């Protein structure tokens, strides 16, 4: 039986798809999604046509054991760490998002909420009783590059300060 990585929520799957562009380099794809049966398993399938080169794209994700009920936007997942994106990729997303805050207050609030939620995802990789994101939480080239650029950024105390700053800015 084939195993696919678990996409805890639609928002998490869409971030993954944006961070993994088509071979032509474009991320512009109008995704259709649905649950399908593949190899005896129910999986979430995302399919669409790349707007850059018109190639058909398709990705499959295993369903989570427990459904995550969205309580706001964005909703990336429950209390467990992501299997799709590593800690460094979540940090990259937070950095990218917080570095591109629009002037419009409504859009700025939404953007900073995304950055805060990405920081929450980084924090989920820290095991109970520890202060740092462990090395095994970085499995992608992008994630390791972000960690290697400044490893102290992945200490719990620093992550909490940055997350809380994004939250406070979004509430203004």
């Amino acid at each position: 039986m084939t195993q696919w990585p678990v996409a805890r929520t639609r928002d998490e799957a869409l971030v993954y798809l944006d961070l993994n562009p088509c071979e032509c380099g474009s991320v512009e794809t109008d995704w259709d999604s649905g649950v399908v049966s593949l190899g005896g398993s129910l999986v979430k399938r995302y399919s669409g046509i790349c707007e850059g080169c018109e190639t058909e794209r398709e990705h499959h994700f295993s369903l989570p054991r427990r459904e995550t009920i969205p309580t706001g936007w964005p909703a990336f997942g429950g209390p467990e760490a992501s299997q799709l994106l590593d800690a460094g990729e979540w940090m990259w997303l937070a950095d990218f998002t917080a570095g591109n805050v629009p002037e419009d207050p409504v859009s700025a609030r939404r953007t900073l909420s995304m950055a805060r939620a990405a920081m929450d995802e980084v924090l989920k990789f820290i095991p109970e009783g520890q202060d740092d994101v462990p090395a095994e939480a970085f499995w992608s080239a992008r994630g390791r590059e972000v960690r290697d650029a400044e490893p102290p950024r992945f200490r719990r105390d620093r992550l909490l300060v940055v997350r809380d700053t994004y939250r406070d800015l979004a509430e203004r």
Side-chain angles (χ1 to χ4, degrees), residues 21-118:
C22 179
E23 289 181 11
C24 76
S26 176
V27 297
E28 299 301 322
T29 303
D30 187 17
W31 296 104
D32 290 320
S33 65
V35 176
V36 298
S37 178
L38 275 180
S41 296
L42 290 178
V43 298
K44 185 79 173 227
R45 182 183 80 184
Y46 286 80
S47 61
I49 304 296
C50 173
E51 292 181 19
C53 67
E54 298 186 3
T55 297
E56 188 172 323
R57 298 183 67 200
E58 186 173 85
H59 289 271
H60 298 99
F61 303 105
S62 291
L63 301 174
R65 276 190 244 177
R66 278 174 273 155
E67 185 177 358
T68 299
I69 306 299
T71 57
W73 185 92
F76 293 130
E80 69 284 348
S82 177
Q83 292 180 26
L84 286 182
L85 303 174
D86 70 18
E89 289 176 300
W90 285 113
M91 179 69 81
W92 183 92
L93 177 64
D95 290 346
F96 178 80
T97 306
N100 291 286
V101 177
E103 289 186 30
D104 167 55
V106 173
S107 297
R109 192 171 307 111
R110 190 168 169 86
T111 300
L112 289 163
S113 293
M114 170 79 81
R116 181 216 27 91

Side-chain angles (χ1 to χ4, degrees), residues 12 18 31 41 48 53 61 75 77-78 82 88 94 98 104 108 110 112 117-118 123-124 134 136 138 147-148 152 154:
E12 181 183 39
D18 280 349
W31 296 104
S41 296
C53 67
F61 303 105
S82 177
D104 167 55
R110 190 168 169 86
L112 289 163
L123 285 157
K124 291 176 185 178
E136 60 270 13
F138 302 91
R147 178 204 56 204
D148 292 348
F154 292 92

Side-chain angles (χ1 to χ4, degrees), residues 44 53 131-132 152 155 159 161 169:
K44 185 79 173 227
C53 67
D131 293 324
D132 298 316
R155 293 193 52 82
L159 293 166
V161 167
L169 288 170

